[in-house]
Amino acid sequence: MKLGAFQDRLSGHCGFLFTELPLSERFAAAAKAGFRAVEHPNLFATPAREVAGWLERAGVPLVQTGFPAGDASKGEKGFAALPDKVAYYRSTIAPTLDYVEQLGCRMVHPMAGVRPPGVDHAKLWGTYLENLAFAADAAKARGMTVIVEPIGPGSIGNYVIDDPLVAVDAIRTIGRDNVKLLFDAFHCVCLGHDPAALIRAHAPLIAHVQIADDPGRHEPGTGTIAFDPIFAALDEVGYAGFVGCEYHPQAGTEAGLGWMRTAL
């Protein structure tokens, strides 16, 4: 695997990696392992000043996080597209941006949610576009970017924004220049897309990239995804951001880091 310049632009997803450790120790562990940044979708249980201290001591930035997405054990995966959750969703925007701003993070993801039974797709789509625009306008006032991550049925069944092309459509429809795409190569491949081709086609929209191998969503090199064409495409289009490592380690985080230490 040839990472090239991306060798020094890897971000450790600390919701997936270093889970052997308390959250308070994961950022430092990621930095020690060679990650130059970190990300995590849900830090709100800890005061922002405390999380900021973890980041400062680790010496790494938090590149992206999420708005509150609910209780995963109850099947909640965000609220941005859910008509009966509009008031709640909008009530979370300003407090989340306040919190994230204290961490120095500039990208935030509002998860769309799972399609409720009996709700018309057009209603979900319209709600999502309005709520995405609402978050984008609030974020723009703070110089922040709202990112859209499409998540396929192999990871979340009936997720509203379930394909990269659907995400691109949403971004272009609302026309906010601070709404961008979180491009996840794993989801892309699982949906049958060519990730390198999509990168070239939609490069101006991509604000963040994530990787994992398939099957199993494990470390790169453990499955069937060809990563060299992906990194070559990112380099070709001049992608200047981080590459988030959002995978489930096969046998512990440290044991699975060989792929990034041997990649050139």
Side-chain angles (χ1 to χ4, degrees):
M1 189 185 311
K2 298 178 180 178
L3 289 175
F6 296 103
Q7 183 89 35
D8 292 323
R9 283 154 56 194
L10 297 177
S11 170
H13 191 298
C14 291
F16 280 63
L17 305 182
F18 303 102
T19 57
E20 306 91 345
L21 302 172
L23 183 58
S24 60
E25 299 177 16
R26 293 180 200 172
F27 298 159
K32 183 178 179 181
F35 291 102
R36 304 302 188 212
V38 293
E39 51 200 83
H40 194 285
N42 182 4
L43 297 163
F44 308 115
T46 306
R49 64 181 179 277
E50 190 171 340
V51 178
W54 301 343
L55 293 166
E56 184 177 1
R57 287 189 290 276
V60 290
L62 182 75
V63 294
Q64 67 95 9
T65 188
F67 289 96
D71 186 344
S73 69
K74 297 179 180 177
E76 294 176 334
K77 297 291 184 179
F79 307 104
L82 306 186
D84 64 340
K85 296 290 187 180
V86 171
Y88 172 73
Y89 165 85
R90 296 193 175 197
S91 75
T92 70
I93 301 301
T96 299
L97 294 176
D98 288 343
Y99 182 97
V100 172
E101 197 166 35
Q102 294 179 66
L103 307 182
C105 183
R106 312 310 299 170
M107 290 191 289
V108 193
H109 173 220
M111 291 189 76
V114 175
R115 297 181 186 92
V119 179
D120 183 69
H121 175 73
K123 181 68 172 177
L124 296 171
W125 181 247
T127 301
Y128 180 70
L129 294 179
E130 291 176 4
N131 278 338
L132 189 62
F134 182 90
D137 292 343
K140 188 174 181 67
R142 303 169 187 248
M144 293 182 183
T145 296
V146 170
I147 49 178
V148 177
E149 180 184 11
I151 303 174
S155 296
I156 300 177
N158 294 314
Y159 190 71
V160 175
I161 306 301
D162 58 0
D163 188 282
L165 297 181
V166 174
V168 167
D169 187 15
I171 293 167
R172 289 180 171 163
T173 298
I174 68 168
R176 295 331 196 251
D177 61 6
N178 68 321
V179 179
K180 300 292 184 180
L181 179 65
L182 192 167
F183 181 86
D184 189 309
F186 170 79
H187 294 312
C188 185
V189 169
C190 290
L191 289 162
H193 295 297
D194 177 346
L198 281 184
I199 288 167
R200 293 186 178 95
H202 304 294
L205 297 182
I206 297 174
H208 190 56
V209 172
Q210 291 178 334
I211 58 172
D213 217 331
D214 180 59
R217 200 170 186 171
H218 298 309
E219 297 90 333
T222 59
T224 62
I225 294 179
F227 287 95
D228 283 355
I230 295 171
F231 287 112
L234 290 171
D235 189 54
E236 178 184 321
V237 302
Y239 174 69
F242 286 93
V243 174
C245 300
E246 187 187 42
Y247 60 78
H248 298 290
Q250 276 190 325
T253 305
E254 290 288 346
L257 293 178
W259 70 273
M260 61 181 269
R261 291 171 179 155
T262 58
L264 301 175

